[in-house]
Amino acid sequence: LDLSPIFAAKDIITSESQYQTKEQDHQLDEHFDYPLLDQASAALKEGKPVLIEKKINNTMQAIGTMFGNELTKRWGEQGLEPGTLRLNLSGSAGQSFGAFVPRGMEINVQGDCNDYVGKGLSGGVISVRPSESAGFIAAENVIAGNVIGYGATSGKIFLNGVVGERFMVRNSGAIAVAEGVGDHALEYMTGGRAVILGKTGINLGAGMSGGIAYVYKLSEARVNREALQLGEISLSALESAEQQELLSILEEHVDRTGSPLGAKILENFDSEVKNFVRVLPRDYARVVGIQQEALETGIALDGEEVWTQILEVTNG
């Protein structure tokens, strides 16, 4: 077998190096977090509560991520108690705001955010609300961009306003609330909870295989057609336990963002809850049922019997 066409080096400039010969400058010292690491050291190193208040602008990307890295290096996967390191910020955040932030971090913004808020969220809490001087109705205006909560594994996101496309794509464990979303929301979602209090775009739930969404006055026409036709996801009213879960999520949303829309729903929750539609993936429901039965009968959740049943119902 002649591999020379693959390994042949063509038109190499021999005067240029073919491997790394100098270090790259990633300009980390210019990142928003960097000059504040000392100010946050009591939280990052000793686990003591720290509050940082700053103004931001949309050239500042991945705010909070460097803090999260330092926290995780010191405290590991378990992180710290919720809200140990709290950032209260005002202004417009750049892309990837709060990306990967772990448990123990809480970031609150008065203003708005760009795309990828909470990307890879890993236990932290993010809230975004309009400025107190804003003269518009939050639930009718955009508060953050596209692809919110992409690949989040845990944590919470509360957004007092409308967001763009692909809300909570590939979410596997976080809880998120928005007051309206664009197209392709909940795409490939595998876990967690999503609450949508306003209008949705088209193609909701495409490839959704896990987690549950509670959507206010959801139109079936907005849901991925193939998923409905094949029975991969179902739309229904909320069961009693789910109503209580939604109530708890909404209460925290209002508490953290002051959402007038959320408060209005809470005022008449017993009647408004009937307007919510549960979006539930079929296989996820089957797995939860198997696990619940195992708990009730004392069978180990990670045992062979349970996993055999799960693989059977999911065609695994």
Side-chain angles (χ1 to χ4, degrees), residues 15 33 57 62-63 65 143 150 158-159 165 188-189 205 220 223 236 245 279 290 298 307:
S15 61
D33 296 5
N57 63 62
I63 289 174
T65 301
I143 193 74
Y150 176 84
F158 300 98
L159 303 165
E165 297 184 354
Y188 305 120
M189 183 167 154
E220 185 175 310
V223 180
S236 66
E245 180 178 51
V279 182
I290 291 170
W307 274 108

Side-chain angles (χ1 to χ4, degrees), residues 15-131:
S15 61
E16 297 289 340
S17 175
Q18 305 304 306
Y19 55 89
Q20 181 184 10
T21 57
K22 59 182 179 181
E23 294 295 326
Q24 291 179 301
D25 180 9
H26 296 289
Q27 300 179 327
L28 294 181
D29 57 336
E30 298 180 11
H31 189 274
F32 173 85
D33 296 5
Y34 187 83
L36 301 174
L37 289 175
D38 286 342
Q39 189 175 340
S41 63
L44 299 176
K45 296 179 180 179
E46 303 173 46
K48 296 180 179 179
V50 170
L51 170 63
I52 295 175
E53 297 181 323
K54 288 286 182 180
K55 292 184 178 180
I56 57 175
N57 63 62
N58 62 8
T59 67
M60 299 173 178
Q61 299 184 3
I63 289 174
T65 301
M66 191 175 290
F67 286 131
N69 175 58
E70 294 297 323
L71 190 155
T72 301
K73 285 195 296 186
R74 173 65 178 83
W75 300 97
E77 183 180 356
Q78 74 277 6
L80 292 169
E81 287 300 308
T84 300
L85 175 56
R86 181 175 300 166
L87 308 181
N88 287 346
L89 310 174
S90 60
S92 295
Q95 291 199 349
S96 298
F97 176 79
F100 308 107
V101 296
R103 183 176 182 271
M105 286 189 63
E106 177 184 310
I107 314 181
N108 308 301
V109 177
Q110 281 198 15
D112 53 43
C113 296
N114 275 269
D115 302 336
Y116 293 103
V117 173
K119 176 176 66 178
L121 187 68
S122 301
V125 179
I126 297 171
S127 72
V128 187
R129 62 192 298 179
S131 168

